[in-house]
Amino acid sequence: MLEALLVMALGAIVLGAALGYAAVRFRVEGDPLVEKIDAILPQTQCGQCGFPGCKPYAQAIAKGEAEINQCPPGGEEGIHKLADLLGREFKPLSAEHGIEKPKSVALINEQTCIGCTLCIQACPVDAIVGAAKQMHTVVASQCTGCELCLPPCPVDCITMEPLAESVETWKWKYPVVRLHPVQKETA
Amino acid sequence: MSALQRLFGFHGGVKPAYHKEASTTAPIAVAPTPTRLVIPLHQSIGGPPRPLVKPGERVLKGQRIGSADGNVSSAVHASTSGTVVAVEMCLMPHTSGLSALCVVIEPDGRDEWIALQAFDYRAATPTQTRDYLRDAGVVGLGGAVFPTYLKLNAGKQGKLETLVLNGAECEPFITCDDVLMRERADAILRGAVIMREMLAAGQVLVGIEDNKPEAVAAMEAAARAVNAASGDDAIRVVAVPTRYPAGGAKQLIRVLTGIEVPHGERSTDYGVQCFNVGTAYAIHEAIELGQPLISRIVTVAGNVGHARNYQVLFGTPMKDLIALCAPLPDSDRVIMGGPMMGFLMPADQVPVVKATNCVLVGSKKLFPPPPPEMPCIRCGECAKVCPADLQPFEMYWFSRARIFGKAQEYNLFDCIECGCCAYVCPSRIPLVDYYRFAKSEIWTREVEKEAADEARERYEFRLLREEREKQEKAAKLAAKTAAGREKAAAAVAEAQKPAVTPEEDAKKALIAAALERVKTQKELVHPENTVDLTPEQQAEVAAIEARRAEIREMAKPHLRQDD
């Protein structure tokens, strides 16, 4: 009886030690789920979801504090991906957080810009260059289209220009069967 | 030379009707210079070149008008001498029907060349030669227009076993390589010799489908001459069985050498590199004649009265070219390339570019509209004919259902879009359209993902920078207040120090005396309105003072201590 207890206790100690060692040795840095969610989010850092950036929104989703349908730039496709990842039900984009818009970039009207640097401070990805009392301009290839530079501009010189399709970015369309109207023969 | 050359087979393939006879009866003709050349800047795989000319500028034939931009890019040249009338967006020879930046040139009719100078590639380093070919705009003329200079790199070993010249030309209607080999075999092999030297290749195999006996004979005669001159037996012309798509690079390498280049690897790692015969000719022109790539042989075929091959300047509208060949009245479309892999053009005024090996005129009779698509019955015919050993029906299911990850797992990107699967499909499913759709969707996602990753990086850096700035500011402020405190403490210490010098004592005495004087003077002076008051007035003043004192007493608990 005592032997059995000792054996069991020994086993418990050995396994406990092994588990404890593994917990320290193979410790996972950060939350892998947050990383995975963050990878799906479009990284516009626009804050339309109600969180100050994509990462905080990802953290909130991982904790179950936020719905998966609060990201308008990610669109329906992003919601589908999040639903697949998290095993949740798909929900249509929540209207209070905005609507899905075609991808666009900010454009500063250089005639009107007064060089106040307010938009530079607002840009989450540092895509606007300029200095005080100097004209500012947007680096289009780095603009995420978050629209955060629009409200601070005192002279309303920033507009959002939808990205035009070019030969390089053109996509083959989904093949559709064209229906040809058949002319009925009148008797 | 025609000694035993063991040939291998590739999987699948089809044998469509070839329709090649019509355009091979007449020799190559030079297409007349049009009244207006529209030369797109972006004519090769890779980054679009930067324009080098402005409207109003006069350009010479062969003058560079667009310079290569980035690691993968190729220059563009003026096809004839004339005046640049515009650098603007024009309709591209692309299925999308979109426009891109083009240089529009009005020819002056003099056709004046730049100073032509041969390039001494033997005296130059391989890098210099590659840069020269990049600036000469030489790209693969088989249809993929990949910049040639990037392929003229012998890979890890520094030398190749086999250089393959692709003269198979397997697609129906197209005969531009056939007539080029018949008429300019010597020049092609001169280019091949240059490539062989650059790649340090052991042997050169020229693969030609056996339905082109004239081309095989011409190339064999030229190869005999070259081999006799060099004394070895390095160049061999091999007739390969006619089966579409024998002209695919991987397929031809397989047939000639038996090497199957695996997924995701390069043929150079296996000691083989493959070039089109037209590319070899362009290399000869660029290096030995100093002429950049400004024209190519184009087959005009299909629904035309006189199908023929033309030497065409880039920028010539396809419409002008078709007009030379007596198009039949029921023509309703223009295809760039062949019927299997070609692209439908948005209009017939689009220019001929480096990728244009064939201008195929179509009609409802020649290419009847496809019958309606039926459901896939999983017969497996597509897998039987796939020359890339893929499973087209699986890729079709996943592309159709937009499950792109799965389609990629079935090696969608190994698909060469040859169209064999769609050709044999009994349900007439436009399979290649689905693959093209899936591929472009995957590419777009990849680009978006890269952009998102960059945005994330920039955002995180910005947060880091803001944090750093905040800390720096706080540190500065702390340093400032510390310095202020020190200064105050020093002042206090100074004040507490006993006066030591007699001068300071004298000064202090003076100040004390002055203060004393001010005090006595103040006591002597009274405000005017408080002298000579009647007793009533004095009583009133006393009453007001008393009320004020009372109010002050009442307010005391409500006032803050430090006020």
Side-chain angles (χ1 to χ4, degrees):
Chain A
M1 176 65 187
L2 187 69
E3 279 159 22
L5 280 176
L6 279 175
V7 166
M8 292 307 283
L10 189 72
I13 289 164
V14 169
L15 290 176
L19 282 174
Y21 172 74
V24 177
R25 177 74 179 76
F26 303 109
R27 187 186 177 82
V28 179
E29 287 296 328
D31 190 346
L33 184 62
V34 172
E35 297 293 321
K36 277 184 196 162
I37 297 171
D38 196 38
I40 292 173
L41 297 176
Q43 303 304 321
T44 41
Q45 319 293 355
C46 60
Q48 288 182 76
C49 52
F51 294 90
C54 295
K55 191 77 171 267
Y57 179 43
Q59 281 160 349
I61 295 176
K63 280 186 205 149
E65 288 165 2
E67 286 293 343
I68 56 172
N69 61 347
Q70 300 179 2
C71 177
E76 297 244 321
E77 202 187 313
I79 301 171
H80 273 293
K81 278 189 188 162
L82 287 173
D84 282 348
L85 176 71
L86 303 165
R88 294 195 201 169
E89 246 345 82
F90 169 80
K91 282 180 188 160
L93 189 65
S94 123
E96 61 173 304
H97 292 99
I99 46 162
E100 198 177 342
K101 290 180 200 163
K103 181 152 170 36
S104 36
V105 291
L107 182 77
I108 293 178
N109 181 351
E110 293 167 352
Q111 252 78 46
T112 332
C113 175
I114 53 169
C116 67
T117 75
L118 288 177
C119 57
I120 296 180
Q121 293 160 37
C123 179
V125 290
D126 288 336
I128 304 178
V129 284
K133 291 183 185 167
Q134 307 288 322
M135 187 184 71
H136 305 339
T137 193
V138 177
V139 184
S141 63
Q142 281 159 354
C143 176
T144 63
C146 67
E147 303 187 5
L148 288 181
C149 52
L150 299 187
C153 181
V155 288
D156 283 337
C157 71
I158 309 178
T159 48
M160 298 307 293
E161 295 293 321
L163 277 181
E165 205 173 32
S166 73
V167 172
E168 284 85 37
T169 60
W170 179 77
K171 293 193 284 184
W172 284 90
K173 303 292 173 285
Y174 190 77
V176 283
V177 185
R178 273 194 212 94
L179 294 176
H180 300 285
V182 178
Q183 260 142 28
K184 265 189 192 165
E185 274 177 46
T186 45
Chain B
M1 185 183 321
S2 54
L4 287 177
Q5 168 77 32
R6 193 181 158 206
L7 288 183
F8 302 81
F10 65 91
H11 178 261
V14 292
K15 285 191 175 178
Y18 275 88
H19 300 287
K20 293 203 187 227
E21 308 73 29
S23 54
T24 49
T25 47
I28 301 171
V30 177
T33 308
T35 51
R36 201 166 241 246
L37 286 162
V38 179
I39 305 172
L41 283 166
H42 198 193
Q43 295 192 42
S44 69
I45 303 268
R50 270 174 293 123
L52 294 174
V53 289
K54 285 188 196 76
E57 218 171 293
R58 183 177 141 76
V59 288
L60 294 176
K61 183 175 186 169
Q63 185 180 330
R64 199 139 53 102
I65 54 175
S67 77
D69 199 9
N71 289 333
V72 184
S73 187
S74 186
V76 178
H77 302 78
S79 313
T80 187
S81 62
T83 316
V84 176
V85 289
V87 179
E88 59 180 12
M89 303 295 274
C90 298
L91 192 64
M92 288 287 276
H94 191 266
T95 313
S96 63
L98 292 169
S99 299
L101 205 59
C102 297
V103 175
V104 184
I105 296 175
E106 221 163 63
D108 57 11
R110 279 185 274 178
D111 218 21
E112 198 178 325
W113 272 101
I114 46 165
L116 295 180
Q117 201 184 1
F119 181 79
D120 188 1
Y121 69 98
R122 287 200 173 93
T125 63
T127 315
Q128 282 171 337
T129 313
R130 280 196 286 272
D131 286 353
Y132 173 80
L133 287 174
R134 180 194 64 203
D135 293 340
V138 179
V139 296
L141 294 180
V145 284
F146 188 80
T148 302
Y149 72 97
L150 291 166
K151 278 173 80 182
L152 282 169
N153 205 332
K156 288 171 201 155
Q157 295 109 352
K159 65 183 172 63
L160 289 185
E161 210 169 290
T162 312
L163 168 67
V164 172
L165 270 201
N166 188 344
E169 198 166 58
C170 54
E171 192 154 352
F173 289 102
I174 308 177
T175 57
C176 60
D177 292 346
D178 186 0
V179 292
L180 185 75
M181 287 188 289
R182 287 188 202 188
E183 295 185 24
R184 302 176 193 175
D186 296 324
I188 294 171
L189 290 186
R190 290 175 84 102
V193 168
I194 297 169
M195 285 196 278
R196 186 186 164 209
E197 272 183 47
M198 285 189 74
L199 295 166
Q203 60 171 350
V204 181
L205 296 179
V206 187
I208 304 170
E209 274 192 347
D210 55 14
N211 62 354
K212 301 185 237 319
E214 297 93 338
V216 173
M219 289 298 279
E220 270 180 350
R224 261 195 298 276
V226 174
N227 286 340
S230 65
D232 58 4
D233 197 20
I235 301 181
R236 274 188 287 170
V237 179
V238 186
V240 301
T242 300
R243 182 154 52 110
Y244 179 83
K250 282 191 172 179
Q251 283 67 36
L252 191 65
I253 288 171
R254 178 78 203 262
V255 168
L256 290 175
T257 65
I259 294 169
E260 192 169 333
V261 182
H263 163 78
E265 290 192 54
R266 290 169 190 214
S267 61
T268 41
D269 299 337
Y270 293 83
V272 194
Q273 186 62 285
C274 180
F275 293 91
N276 182 264
V277 286
T279 315
Y281 181 74
I283 285 177
H284 152 73
E285 275 192 325
I287 287 188
E288 296 191 330
L289 307 178
Q291 296 177 357
L293 187 62
I294 53 154
S295 69
R296 67 162 295 152
I297 313 292
V298 179
T299 308
V300 187
N303 202 38
V304 289
H306 311 291
R308 194 172 181 176
N309 283 284
Y310 289 92
Q311 170 110 29
V312 188
L313 299 175
F314 298 136
T316 305
M318 289 183 184
K319 187 169 60 179
D320 293 13
L321 204 56
I322 295 165
L324 297 172
C325 300
L328 301 181
D330 62 335
S331 304
D332 62 350
R333 81 198 88 163
V334 177
I335 296 161
M336 185 171 93
M340 301 290 281
M341 293 179 73
F343 298 97
L344 190 66
M345 291 294 104
D348 61 359
Q349 84 262 24
V350 294
V352 166
V353 290
K354 292 178 183 177
T356 314
N357 48 6
C358 178
V359 173
L360 187 60
V361 182
S363 70
K364 281 210 173 64
K365 211 175 120 206
L366 192 61
F367 305 121
E373 178 185 335
M374 304 289 279
C376 172
I377 55 168
R378 284 192 175 254
C379 63
E381 281 301 313
C382 49
K384 273 188 213 156
V385 296
C386 180
D389 292 277
L390 301 173
Q391 294 187 29
F393 53 95
E394 295 285 6
M395 299 191 320
Y396 158 68
W397 285 117
F398 291 121
S399 301
R400 190 191 160 103
R402 295 185 166 91
I403 306 172
F404 300 121
K406 274 282 191 187
Q408 244 177 314
E409 275 175 37
Y410 278 93
N411 296 320
L412 175 68
F413 281 94
D414 282 351
C415 167
I416 57 169
E417 300 176 20
C418 65
C420 288
C421 48
Y423 182 80
V424 297
C425 181
S427 293
R428 283 124 7 189
I429 301 168
L431 289 156
V432 179
D433 289 357
Y434 283 99
Y435 306 148
R436 283 175 174 163
F437 158 73
K439 280 181 183 179
S440 60
E441 286 291 325
I442 293 168
W443 274 323
T444 311
R445 279 181 174 77
E446 209 98 310
V447 170
E448 273 170 11
K449 179 126 189 36
E450 264 166 40
D453 286 345
E454 200 197 335
R456 183 188 297 116
E457 215 168 86
R458 292 180 72 82
Y459 178 62
E460 275 165 8
F461 178 76
R462 182 188 160 91
L463 292 182
L464 194 82
R465 198 196 69 211
E466 276 174 349
E467 187 58 33
R468 194 188 63 206
E469 272 169 6
K470 213 193 257 168
Q471 275 173 8
E472 274 171 4
K473 224 176 190 175
K476 227 183 227 170
L477 198 69
K480 216 174 177 181
T481 42
R485 276 210 194 105
E486 248 167 50
K487 220 175 179 179
V492 167
E494 190 68 29
Q496 279 169 353
K497 252 192 247 166
V500 274
T501 53
E503 290 104 8
E504 271 185 18
D505 270 349
K507 258 185 200 167
K508 273 194 180 151
L510 278 174
I511 291 166
L515 284 174
E516 196 63 29
R517 269 204 307 279
V518 169
K519 210 175 175 187
T520 45
Q521 251 171 13
K522 241 186 193 169
E523 272 166 12
L524 286 173
V525 176
H526 292 284
E528 295 246 328
N529 61 350
T530 54
V531 286
D532 303 330
L533 294 175
T534 58
E536 296 94 80
Q537 279 172 325
Q538 274 176 0
E540 208 178 327
V541 167
I544 289 168
E545 284 299 323
R547 263 209 316 277
R548 276 186 181 156
E550 201 181 328
I551 287 166
R552 260 190 222 116
E553 276 307 307
M554 276 163 64
K556 220 170 209 172
H558 300 287
L559 288 172
R560 272 193 297 163
Q561 214 61 37
D562 50 345
D563 276 356

